[in-house]
């Protein structure tokens, strides 16, 4: 539990004693409402804190006791510019009178040292809680996270203050803050370690040299400038006595106008190093020692701050700001140790270890600099997952609340994406644009094995289809020598279409992700066809290698000479000849056929040109190595050839295929196609939700970091309005897609065809709006290959055709509406 603010006092230390009568006379004259004839007047000293000595004033009578807080400069000779209580008073008054930043009210300032020996000011006493230990011992886990969120929001509130509007425009210089701070604190370090004082650490010079060479450009330009607290940490906050919210930010001695990222980094110091006055040494921070249950991790805390403040993710310069914070802390602790040696440290004997700790902070800073990775390149999953927070609802009511099994898979999937997929996107893209683009990046196969081990393999397999395949091919009968565990793994996690929707969305955030989890098109649709309609031999020969990820597949239906959106138009012939079929025709947009791992095509052609219109077509499995198959060329989608996956134009000239390869029987092609149009193609809609979320994320990050006409894009009203409208449309489309998946599970493809058609119209059109706006916000970068936006847009636009033309789906929707109306 936190300490009550009134319990943190002790007797006034001998070095800090002053004339209480003089204080009373001054307060009675200058503090409105201060009791003038009290029966009780007591001054105690707060033991917590290392800067300006702070005191509790209790005045009045037993029935009516008032409490105030006094802050003063410490006695004795002080370093230049240190302990400026006048500045504390100035900033507290400005914030208290003109903003909603939680600060104590100030009553008066005295700069006359003859009153109590040094300058001081008096402010209100805030009844609340102060948490000295950042680990928050004896606090319930759920309240730990709430307290840290409140801390992040308090810092964001402070940083939102407009210094020009509240009279603090001259409170500090905006540019080169870190440079000036380095000069200041290094001078104070040197002054605190001169002759007759603590010994200097030569590694401090090494640290300062690195900091000077590594100062970010944003510091000199003032891009990150604003009101900075200078010592922001959880023990400088007063929390409400019972609620988990901040009511007061205290200890403003180091405040100025400067680089606000220094505040952010300093507020995270306890994650990296543990510095406690009562400890002899600096120890591991919470990142290494382990987070108490319920506490936000450092990336999660930073995410809370960035979300509340509108600041960009700080990964690029995080190492500098943390090292700078350790440098400054080392300088401060050296000064505290020097004051302890002189006998005037405000913490008394508790400051005896600060000299040792200062040197250990220097070592820690140099060690942090040497680390390869200090913060994820991207924000944690909460930000990547801008979709609804399902976790808080899992035990509640609602139609589309995922169960715990799905939530656990979702968390694993998000973590896998952040750790392994996003960092590899550039590498995959480079290979896909090189002269070796029709080869497989070796890292992809490694990632596939990792996905299998994580239980993130073949998640698309519907529970009913898996059951049929298991019946057709038991583990004891298969020829692939699979163990029971590996055999079970092939059939995913037994998810419904609705359950898979929550996961497929996450994969859709990267064009490279689906195949890593063996959940990419057209393989998912092809595997589903064999799962539903294949016989035991077809399952063994083709489905098992596909489920294992050893081979890939293609789907050959579209033809260049006819409008293939009407499948009755196709002209490719499949003619029976003894125990074989002979295929002749040309197909294009055969996705997956360029992949060197592609071994099988599902081809749709006509076995009987004279049969009824919807009984002419059949589907057949075709080995890509069969003579007579010629890949004529790869096709491009808005310039993207989607290597190494690819879309091929293929000619079939007297291609002889075993009759056993026919699926379900002659004339059953349309029936199979209608079955395939359900789950397999709804996956596209699910992935489009994820692509739109990626677009929203990149758009928001860009808007928060780029300025036009003197302000951030995010501050332009038109952008904010557009962003809000896109979020509304995205959430509506997500619900529509989940509803369609639910209908598939409950009623099957045929009865769900209306809502499936709605989802197929809505999802790509919504994604295109989001991605088009994201491209616009990125400007020229948006249409380049420097971001994923252009590729995501091209994919989304293609799906308005490849997933069935909008017009076909709209026709289905309209006809069903008219049918309902005719029955009224």
């Amino acid at each position: 539990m936190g300490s009550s603010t009134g319990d943190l006092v002790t007797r006034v230390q001998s070095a800090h004693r002053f004339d209480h009568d003089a204080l009373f006379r001054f307060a009675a004259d200058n503090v409105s409402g201060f009791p003038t004839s009290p029966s009780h007047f007591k001054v105690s000293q707060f033991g917590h804190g290392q800067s300006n000595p702070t005191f509790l004033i209790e005045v009045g009578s037993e029935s009516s006791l008032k409490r105030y807080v006094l802050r003063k400069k410490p006695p004795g000779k002080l370093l230049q510019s240190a302990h400026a209580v006048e500045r504390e008073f100035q900033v507290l008054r400005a914030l208290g009178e003109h903003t909603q930043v939680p600060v104590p009210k100030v009553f008066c300032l005295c700069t006359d040292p003859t009153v109590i020996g040094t300058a001081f000011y008096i402010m209100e006493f805030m009844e609340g809680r102060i948490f000295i230990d950042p680990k928050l011992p004896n606090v319930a886990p759920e309240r730990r996270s709430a307290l840290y969120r409140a801390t992040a929001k308090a810092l964001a509130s402070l940083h939102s203050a407009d210094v020009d509007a509240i009279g603090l425009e001259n409170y500090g210089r905006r540019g080169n803050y870190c440079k000036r701070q380095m000069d200041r604190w290094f001078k104070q370090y040197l002054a605190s370690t001169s002759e007759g004082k603590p010994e200097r650490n030569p590694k401090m010079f090494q640290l300062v040299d690195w900091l000077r060479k590594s100062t970010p450009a944003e510091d000199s330009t003032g891009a990150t400038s604003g009101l900075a607290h200078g010592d922001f940490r959880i023990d400088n906050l007063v929390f409400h006595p019972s609620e988990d919210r901040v009511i007061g930010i205290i200890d403003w001695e180091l405040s100025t106008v400067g680089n606000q990222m220094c505040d952010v980094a300093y507020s995270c110091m306890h994650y990296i190093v543990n510095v406690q006055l009562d400890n002899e040494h600096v120890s591991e921070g919470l990142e290494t020692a382990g987070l108490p249950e319920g506490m936000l991790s450092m990336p999660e805390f930073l995410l809370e701050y960035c979300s509340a403040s509108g600041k960009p993710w700080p990964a690029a310069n995080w190492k500098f700001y943390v090292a700078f914070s350790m440098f400054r802390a080392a300088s401060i602790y050296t000064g505290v140790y020097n004051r302890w040696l002189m006998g005037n440290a405000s913490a008394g004997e508790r400051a005896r270890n600060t000299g040792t700790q200062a040197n250990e902070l220097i070592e820690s800073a140099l060690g942090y600099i040497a680390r390869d990775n200090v913060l994820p390149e991207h924000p944690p999953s909460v930000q990547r997952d801008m979709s609804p927070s399902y976790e808080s609802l899992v035990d509640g009511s609602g139609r589309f609340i995922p169960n715990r099994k799905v939530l656990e898979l979702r968390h694993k999937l998000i973590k896998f994406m952040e750790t392994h997929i996003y960092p590899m996107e550039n590498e995959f893209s480079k290979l896909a644009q090189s002269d070796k683009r029709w080869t497989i990046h070796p890292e992809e196969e490694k990632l596939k094995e990792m996905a299998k081990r994580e239980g993130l393999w073949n998640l698309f397999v519907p529970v009913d289809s898996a059951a049929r395949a298991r019946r057709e091919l038991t583990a004891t009968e298969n020829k692939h020598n699979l163990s029971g565990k590996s055999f079970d793994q092939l059939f995913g996690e037994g998810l419904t279409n609705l359950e898979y929707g929550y996961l497929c969305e996450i994969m859709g955030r990267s064009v490279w992700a689906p195949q890593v989890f063996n959940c990419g098109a057209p393989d998912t649709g092809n595997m589903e066809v064999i799962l539903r309609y294949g016989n035991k031999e077809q399952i063994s020969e083709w489905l098992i290698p596909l489920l294992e990820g050893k081979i890939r597949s293609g789907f050959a239906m579209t033809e260049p000479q006819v409008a293939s959106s009407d499948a009755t138009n196709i002209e490719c012939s499949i003619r029976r000849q003894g125990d074989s079929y002979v295929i002749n025709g040309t197909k294009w947009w055969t996705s997956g056929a360029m992949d060197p791992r592609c071994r099988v095509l599902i081809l749709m052609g006509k076995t009987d040109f004279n049969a009824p219109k919807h009984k002419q077509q059949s589907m057949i499995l075709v080995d890509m190595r069969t003579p007579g198959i010629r890949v004529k060329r790869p096709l491009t989608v808005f310039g993207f050839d989607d290597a190494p996956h690819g879309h091929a134009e293929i000619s079939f000239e007297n291609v002889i295929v075993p009759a056993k390869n026919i699926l379900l029987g002659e004339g059953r092609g349309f029936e199979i196609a209608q079955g395939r149009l359900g789950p397999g193609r709804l996956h596209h809609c699910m992935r489009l939700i994820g692509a739109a979320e990626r677009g929203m994320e990149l758009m928001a990050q860009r808007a928060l970091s780029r300025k036009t006409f003197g302000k951030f894009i995010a501050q332009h009203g038109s952008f904010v309005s557009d962003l809000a409208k896109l979020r509304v449309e995205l959430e509506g489309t997500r619900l529509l897609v989940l509803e369609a998946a639910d209908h598939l599970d409950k009623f099957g493809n045929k009865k769900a065809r209306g809502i499936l058609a709605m989802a197929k119209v809505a999802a790509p059109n919504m994604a295109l709006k989001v991605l088009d706006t994201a491209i616009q916000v990125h400007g020229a970068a948006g249409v380049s290959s420097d971001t994923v936006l252009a590729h995501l847009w091209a994919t989304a636009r293609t799906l308005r055709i490849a997933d069935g033309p909008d017009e076909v789906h709209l026709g289905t929707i309209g006809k069903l509406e008219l049918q309902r109306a005719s029955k009224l």
Side-chain angles (χ1 to χ4, degrees):
M1 296 296 292
S3 301
S4 173
T5 45
D7 294 339
L8 293 173
V9 294
T10 184
R11 290 182 182 180
V12 177
Q13 297 173 27
S14 58
H16 295 151
R17 289 173 183 164
F18 54 82
D19 188 339
H20 290 185
D21 292 335
L23 170 64
F24 175 79
R25 290 192 297 271
F26 181 87
D29 291 340
N30 292 277
V31 177
S32 177
F34 194 91
T36 55
S37 301
S39 60
H40 177 86
F41 181 74
K42 179 181 178 181
V43 178
S44 307
Q45 185 168 4
F46 285 97
H48 179 62
Q50 280 306 298
S51 50
N52 292 323
T54 308
F55 305 86
L56 174 65
I57 303 171
E58 296 175 291
V59 59
S61 62
E62 288 187 7
S63 60
S64 178
L65 191 67
K66 290 188 174 183
R67 292 190 285 186
Y68 302 87
V69 173
L70 178 146
R71 289 266 288 177
K72 68 185 291 292
K73 290 186 178 183
K77 185 178 180 180
L78 304 176
L79 295 171
Q80 186 180 3
S81 77
H83 309 282
V85 295
E86 302 87 349
R87 285 174 60 81
E88 287 190 43
F89 180 83
Q90 179 187 1
V91 69
L92 285 170
R93 183 171 63 179
L95 291 171
E97 293 178 357
H98 302 294
T99 76
Q100 297 298 312
V101 178
V103 292
K105 180 181 179 180
V106 291
F107 297 113
C108 63
L109 169 70
C110 177
T111 56
D112 182 359
T114 65
V115 179
I116 62 170
T118 65
F120 68 93
Y121 68 92
I122 297 174
M123 59 183 164
E124 72 170 313
F125 169 79
M126 308 190 89
E127 183 68 60
R129 297 170 294 160
I130 291 180
F131 294 91
I132 307 298
D133 189 340
K135 294 190 294 294
L136 306 183
N138 302 316
V139 174
E142 64 275 11
R143 301 199 73 176
R144 286 183 182 134
S145 61
L147 289 165
Y148 267 76
R149 288 190 176 93
T151 300
K153 289 176 181 176
L155 181 57
S157 172
L158 184 167
H159 286 174
S160 68
D162 185 342
V163 292
D164 296 319
I166 63 175
L168 295 177
E169 62 274 9
N170 297 318
Y171 196 61
R173 287 178 286 169
R174 303 178 194 222
N176 293 309
Y177 170 80
C178 291
K179 180 180 182 299
R180 296 196 311 274
Q181 286 283 299
M182 280 186 275
D183 292 343
R184 172 191 175 186
W185 289 110
F186 192 45
K187 286 178 182 177
Q188 293 204 10
Y189 176 81
L190 295 176
S192 298
T193 56
S194 56
E195 188 175 348
K197 295 179 180 179
E199 184 180 354
R200 287 178 183 169
N201 186 340
K203 290 188 176 180
M204 183 61 135
F205 294 80
Q206 180 184 343
L207 175 58
V208 171
D209 183 60
W210 184 90
L211 289 169
R212 285 172 173 166
K213 292 176 180 177
S214 306
T215 306
E218 62 192 26
D219 183 67
S220 61
T221 63
T224 50
S225 70
L227 182 61
H229 181 273
D231 194 19
F232 191 93
R233 57 182 195 254
I234 199 166
D235 57 328
N236 275 334
L237 303 178
V238 179
F239 288 85
H240 187 276
S242 58
E243 300 173 14
D244 297 328
R245 60 184 175 90
V246 176
I247 60 173
I249 304 173
I250 57 176
D251 200 350
W252 290 79
E253 178 198 349
L254 301 178
S255 63
T256 186
V257 172
N259 191 327
Q260 294 178 328
M261 286 310 303
C262 295
D263 267 355
V264 181
Y266 195 69
S267 72
C268 292
M269 284 281 284
H270 59 284
Y271 286 109
I272 301 155
V273 290
N274 177 28
V275 187
Q276 299 286 336
L277 283 179
D278 296 324
N279 297 339
E280 185 176 351
H281 297 285
V282 172
S283 57
E284 295 175 331
L286 298 180
E287 269 193 326
T288 306
L291 291 171
E293 184 182 358
M295 184 169 293
L296 300 184
S297 66
M298 185 170 71
E300 288 170 337
F301 176 80
L302 290 172
L303 175 58
E304 289 288 335
Y305 167 79
C306 291
S307 299
S309 65
K311 298 291 177 65
W313 185 244
N317 298 307
W318 188 245
K319 184 180 289 188
F320 169 84
Y321 288 117
V322 169
F324 172 83
S325 295
M326 293 191 200
F327 151 76
R328 197 189 65 166
S331 299
I332 292 172
Y333 270 52
T334 302
V336 171
Y337 184 61
N338 186 42
R339 292 200 300 277
W340 178 77
L341 291 175
M342 294 187 296
N344 65 350
S346 60
E349 282 302 301
R350 295 176 67 230
R352 69 163 48 250
N353 296 319
T354 51
T356 299
Q357 291 175 330
N359 287 324
E360 291 172 343
L361 280 167
I362 296 169
E363 291 283 355
S364 296
L366 292 172
Y368 198 76
I369 290 167
R371 287 171 57 178
D372 292 331
N373 298 301
V374 294
L375 191 68
E377 182 182 352
H378 300 286
S381 57
V382 179
Q383 181 159 333
R384 284 201 172 277
D385 182 15
M386 296 172 71
S387 51
S389 178
Y390 299 115
E391 287 78 358
S392 61
L393 301 172
V394 69
D395 293 322
S397 60
R399 289 190 61 193
F400 298 126
I401 308 304
N403 57 43
R404 292 197 180 277
K405 174 183 177 181
V406 173
L407 278 179
E408 289 173 4
L409 287 169
R410 198 166 183 270
H411 286 314
K412 288 170 66 176
L413 190 59
I414 290 170
K415 184 177 181 181
F416 194 101
M417 294 280 289
E418 291 174 352
T419 306
H420 304 295
I421 302 294
Y422 300 130
M424 281 299 298
E425 283 183 323
N426 286 336
E427 290 300 313
F428 289 147
S429 182
K430 286 178 185 177
L431 180 63
Q433 296 175 49
S434 73
D435 56 3
K436 296 181 179 179
R437 63 186 182 278
W438 302 114
T439 62
I440 309 303
H441 198 293
E443 195 65 25
E444 181 180 322
E445 294 303 317
K446 294 179 184 178
L447 291 177
K448 287 165 70 173
E449 292 304 313
M450 291 173 62
K452 289 178 183 178
R453 290 195 297 271
E454 291 283 331
L456 299 173
W457 189 253
N458 289 337
L459 295 174
F460 77 95
V461 178
V463 61
D464 56 339
S465 298
R468 178 187 182 274
R470 288 175 191 275
R471 288 194 302 270
E472 290 289 332
L473 184 67
T474 65
T476 56
E477 294 176 315
N478 82 79
K479 65 181 183 182
H480 300 277
N481 297 317
L482 294 167
S483 66
K485 182 178 179 180
S486 59
F487 184 79
D488 289 339
Q489 186 185 59
L490 296 182
F491 299 103
E493 294 295 316
L495 303 175
T496 64
N497 288 296
L498 176 60
E499 290 170 335
Y500 178 58
Y502 301 105
L503 309 176
C504 189
E505 173 190 327
I506 306 301
M507 299 178 202
R509 298 179 188 188
S510 171
V511 294
W512 306 102
Q515 61 260 34
V516 169
F517 305 102
N518 213 34
C519 291
D523 292 329
T524 52
N526 289 341
M527 285 188 274
E528 201 170 326
V529 165
I530 306 175
L531 277 163
R532 288 178 179 271
Y533 307 111
N535 58 38
K536 184 183 298 184
E537 190 173 352
Q538 292 164 347
I539 289 172
S540 177
E541 184 172 1
W542 299 113
L543 178 61
I544 296 300
L546 283 168
L547 289 171
E548 290 180 303
K550 292 180 178 179
I551 65 171
R552 296 203 66 183
S553 62
F555 186 70
M557 187 188 82
T558 307
E559 298 178 5
Q561 302 302 321
V562 298
S564 302
S565 57
D566 178 358
T568 63
N569 287 337
I570 62 172
E571 297 177 340
C572 180
S573 66
I574 308 174
R575 296 195 181 276
R576 183 68 180 255
Q577 191 176 85
D579 292 335
S580 303
Y581 285 98
V582 180
I583 303 172
N584 282 281
T586 300
K587 298 288 186 180
W588 71 343
W589 296 107
T590 306
S591 296
M594 297 299 301
D595 194 307
R597 297 163 296 185
C598 183
R599 287 291 179 268
V600 64
L601 303 176
I602 294 182
L603 179 140
M604 188 167 179
K606 289 186 176 179
T607 46
D608 187 348
F609 284 75
N610 299 314
K613 190 175 183 180
H614 292 93
K615 295 292 185 180
Q616 298 176 7
Q617 301 82 11
S618 300
M619 286 194 186
I620 192 167
L621 295 162
V622 182
D623 190 322
M624 273 290 288
R625 297 165 293 186
T626 307
I629 295 178
R630 183 167 70 92
V631 177
K632 298 173 70 174
R633 58 170 174 150
L635 302 167
T636 59
V637 180
F638 295 105
F640 294 99
D641 59 17
D642 290 333
H645 170 71
H647 315 279
E649 181 175 354
I650 306 176
S651 66
F652 298 83
E653 186 174 347
N654 295 320
V655 176
I656 300 173
V657 179
K660 65 180 182 179
N661 285 18
I662 201 81
L663 282 162
L664 206 58
E666 290 188 13
R668 308 287 293 274
F670 232 92
E671 178 184 343
I672 297 171
Q674 292 306 304
R676 191 181 188 276
L677 287 174
R681 287 199 172 174
L682 188 60
H683 297 169
H684 286 310
C685 299
M686 297 169 178
R687 284 188 285 265
L688 283 168
I689 301 296
E693 285 288 5
R694 185 83 181 273
M696 291 288 284
E697 175 198 334
L698 293 174
M699 182 190 340
Q701 288 178 348
R702 185 77 165 190
L704 290 168
S705 62
R706 289 296 181 108
K707 287 185 175 181
T708 59
F709 306 105
K711 58 183 179 180
F712 289 108
I713 296 173
Q715 294 174 319
H716 290 276
S718 60
F719 169 77
V720 174
S721 176
D722 289 343
L723 188 67
K725 291 175 183 177
L726 292 171
R727 172 53 65 189
V728 170
E729 189 161 352
L730 195 159
E731 295 303 329
T733 305
R734 174 186 281 113
L735 288 173
L736 181 62
V737 172
L738 293 175
E739 178 87 5
D742 193 41
H743 276 231
L744 268 176
D745 292 329
K746 292 177 177 177
F747 310 117
N749 293 358
K750 187 174 182 179
K751 289 186 178 180
R753 66 187 185 281
I755 197 164
L756 284 170
M758 294 180 211
K760 290 174 186 178
V761 171
N765 281 283
M766 175 279 298
L768 284 169
K769 285 184 182 179
V770 171
L771 294 167
D772 186 73
T773 307
I775 288 170
Q776 195 73 12
V777 170
H778 279 73
V783 297
S784 75
S785 59
D786 287 0
T787 75
V788 299
L789 292 171
H791 203 168
L792 289 173
W793 184 93
T795 300
R797 181 61 185 86
T798 304
L799 289 174
R800 288 190 58 205
I801 300 170
D803 203 17
D806 284 1
E807 293 75 12
V808 171
H809 300 316
L810 291 169
T812 299
I813 299 165
K815 288 174 184 177
L816 288 171
E817 285 296 310
L818 292 172
Q819 287 176 15
R820 277 192 287 270
S822 67
K823 294 177 182 178
L824 295 178

